[in-house]
Amino acid sequence: MDGLFYLRTMNIRDLFLLDPQVTYLNHGSFGACPREIFDDYQNWQRILESEPVQFIVNKGPAAINESRRALAGFVGCKAENLVFVTNPTYAVNIIARSLDLREGDEVLSTDHEYGAMDRTWNYYCKRAGARYVNAEITLPIVSEDEIVNQFWSQVTPKTRVIFINHISSATALIFPVKRICERARENGIITIVDGAHVPGHIPLHISELDIDFYTGACHKWLLTPKGNSFLYASDAWKEKLDPIIISWGYEAENPGPSKFLDYHEQQGTRDFSAFLTVQVALNFFARYNWNELTTQCRWQIPEIYREACELAGTEPLAPLDGRFTGQMCSVPVGIEDAFKVKQYLFQEHDIEIPVFNWRGRHFIRISWQPYNERKDLDRLFDAMLGLRKMGWLK
């Protein structure tokens, strides 16, 4: 495996603000922001505080528009179809409350969705008398065809909405959303994709998906500061979304060119500096050949996955041919208490890594970024051997 780890001419870890004492294998949860991008974030905050009125009223909106255009070019859609939000859960709440779900409607998802999203849909479906359905996608994954067929077997005449993650959180799998959404569109079903883990992680061209809604986080794999995400809405939908916060943008006295932007970005006083860091993040990608480095990370994941599963005495959740994994892998482990193991790994070994309890099974999810090195894996594997000696890992 060592041959897979390329030589570097610089210490990439030094580009980040991460605690050098911590083995950080959890980029997937909240990301990690490089120093120069964080400096840009703080610079925007200083500009804001130097003249708050002029910035919030005049300069800020222009800067957001510039950042939106840069982001649109990166994710492959028109800038006028994007609005900045703080996180994907916020975006999905905007969508769910605007769909006018009726009694008897069904929202079809998978059993691999992020917990906050399940809670969101359960709330809005319960309020409307609709039904939230989680199609079982069995593990291990065999093929894309199997995923599509298992998912589509739960579609009924009452299915009004399809909501599906592009990359799952607990199981860290890439789903064939394009195929599923194409079929949904043919059947007149609303399509919503949760791409929280996608921007900066795997290639994304929203316009090619031809879907109704997409949301993604910029503060994960795109490396911006926390609280920076986006909502994409198609032309058919963007003017139909109600704002969560009713403020100056609602029925504005001086409306802008888009009700979509007025409704969802004019929300009173707030610090939107994180939204303005997209261009510097993209410059960082270009300066350090980040796409090339992360491509190498994706090449390394199959071997990391195999080695970790061999140590755990388990098998990967999907074929390791590049279709189902990006820069994360969830390793099935025979443990009883996920929280206890996570706390042990951090408190005793300074390893930051998520340990999930999902559908009665347990996983340790490894995120692999260019700042990670072989010694990070060795520390994790040594800790796992320690868990086995203590009887915590079967």
Side-chain angles (χ1 to χ4, degrees):
M1 180 177 177
D2 290 335
L4 291 173
F5 287 80
Y6 49 85
L7 295 175
R8 298 182 178 129
T9 58
M10 61 178 298
N11 187 346
I12 294 176
R13 178 78 178 235
D14 288 344
L15 298 175
F16 288 76
L17 293 161
L18 292 166
D19 185 341
Q21 302 303 313
V22 174
T23 297
Y24 197 72
L25 293 167
N26 191 14
H27 191 96
S29 284
F30 304 113
C33 188
R35 295 174 187 275
E36 63 188 76
I37 301 175
F38 195 76
D39 286 346
D40 182 62
Y41 169 59
Q42 292 187 314
N43 183 58
W44 282 115
Q45 291 179 315
R46 291 188 181 94
I47 294 172
L48 164 61
E49 294 302 334
S50 70
E51 223 311 348
V53 174
Q54 290 301 313
F55 186 81
I56 290 175
V57 175
N58 296 317
K59 296 179 182 179
I64 286 181
N65 287 335
E66 184 176 347
S67 192
R68 182 187 296 108
R69 286 191 291 271
L71 179 60
F74 184 75
V75 301
C77 68
K78 295 182 295 185
E80 56 265 33
N81 294 95
L82 286 184
V83 66
F84 282 106
V85 294
T86 51
N87 55 64
T89 305
Y90 190 102
V92 173
N93 272 266
I94 292 174
I95 300 166
R97 75 192 306 268
S98 302
L99 291 179
D100 191 26
L101 292 172
R102 304 293 179 88
E103 186 173 354
D105 286 345
E106 292 180 352
V107 176
L108 178 60
S109 191
T110 76
D111 59 348
H112 292 245
E113 306 304 322
Y114 186 55
M117 301 304 185
D118 283 336
R119 285 167 170 78
T120 297
W121 287 111
N122 277 319
Y123 171 82
Y124 285 104
C125 285
K126 184 183 296 184
R127 193 175 72 168
R131 182 168 173 249
Y132 181 51
V133 181
N134 295 103
E136 180 182 7
I137 306 299
T138 57
L139 297 175
I141 298 297
V142 174
S143 66
E144 287 188 353
D145 286 343
E146 181 185 59
I147 295 175
V148 173
N149 292 335
Q150 286 185 340
F151 184 83
W152 206 258
S153 71
Q154 299 300 305
V155 172
T156 75
K158 296 180 179 180
T159 303
R160 185 168 172 224
V161 178
I162 277 176
F163 173 78
I164 188 168
N165 47 205
H166 203 159
I167 300 179
S168 59
S169 177
T171 52
L173 296 169
I174 300 172
F175 279 71
V177 296
K178 183 175 176 61
R179 291 181 58 185
I180 289 171
C181 289
E182 284 175 347
R183 194 164 176 179
R185 188 168 59 254
E186 292 169 359
N187 287 269
I189 300 172
I190 297 167
T191 50
I192 309 168
V193 177
D194 171 14
H197 282 280
V198 172
H201 187 169
I202 60 175
L204 175 61
H205 301 282
I206 294 175
S207 61
E208 293 180 4
L209 294 176
D210 193 18
I211 55 179
D212 295 305
F213 303 103
Y214 194 100
T215 182
C218 301
H219 53 239
K220 289 180 184 282
W221 303 89
L222 194 52
L223 308 181
T224 74
K226 312 301 176 278
N228 186 7
S229 300
F230 68 86
L231 166 63
Y232 162 88
S234 68
D235 288 335
W237 275 101
K238 66 180 184 178
E239 302 294 317
K240 299 177 182 179
L241 296 178
D242 292 329
I244 287 182
I245 305 297
I246 305 300
S247 188
W248 293 105
Y250 183 75
E251 297 182 352
E253 293 180 3
N254 297 300
S258 167
K259 187 171 75 173
F260 180 50
L261 302 182
D262 287 347
Y263 275 22
H264 305 290
E265 285 188 353
Q266 292 189 36
Q267 295 184 355
T269 305
R270 60 173 174 163
D271 181 1
F272 47 81
S273 300
F275 299 164
L276 309 180
T277 62
V278 170
Q279 187 59 64
V280 169
L282 296 179
N283 291 343
F284 178 92
F285 270 50
R287 181 179 303 110
Y288 296 105
N289 296 314
W290 202 252
N291 288 335
E292 179 181 342
L293 294 177
T294 54
T295 296
Q296 294 183 55
C297 288
R298 291 196 294 274
W299 291 344
Q300 292 162 8
I301 277 290
E303 186 58 29
I304 292 171
Y305 210 169
R306 291 188 189 97
E307 188 171 346
C309 285
E310 182 178 349
L311 178 60
T314 58
E315 296 293 331
L317 301 181
L320 301 181
D321 56 13
R323 290 177 298 163
F324 302 103
T325 56
Q327 290 174 240
M328 298 191 297
C329 61
S330 282
V331 181
V333 288
I335 61 174
E336 295 183 357
D337 190 329
F339 179 78
K340 185 178 179 180
V341 169
K342 177 176 170 54
Q343 291 294 99
Y344 168 80
L345 290 173
F346 186 75
Q347 293 175 359
E348 300 299 326
H349 294 274
D350 292 323
I351 298 172
E352 184 65 73
I353 194 166
V355 184
F356 292 106
N357 179 356
W358 178 86
R359 309 288 178 182
R361 301 180 63 178
H362 293 95
F363 305 101
I364 294 177
R365 190 187 71 191
I366 301 170
S367 292
W368 195 246
Q369 276 283 53
Y371 56 68
N372 291 118
E373 300 180 77
R374 174 70 214 196
K375 64 182 180 180
D376 298 332
L377 284 180
D378 290 339
R379 180 175 288 187
L380 172 63
F381 293 163
D382 287 344
M384 290 173 65
L385 289 173
L387 288 170
R388 175 161 289 141
K389 290 178 181 178
M390 294 189 300
W392 290 12
L393 176 63
K394 297 181 177 64

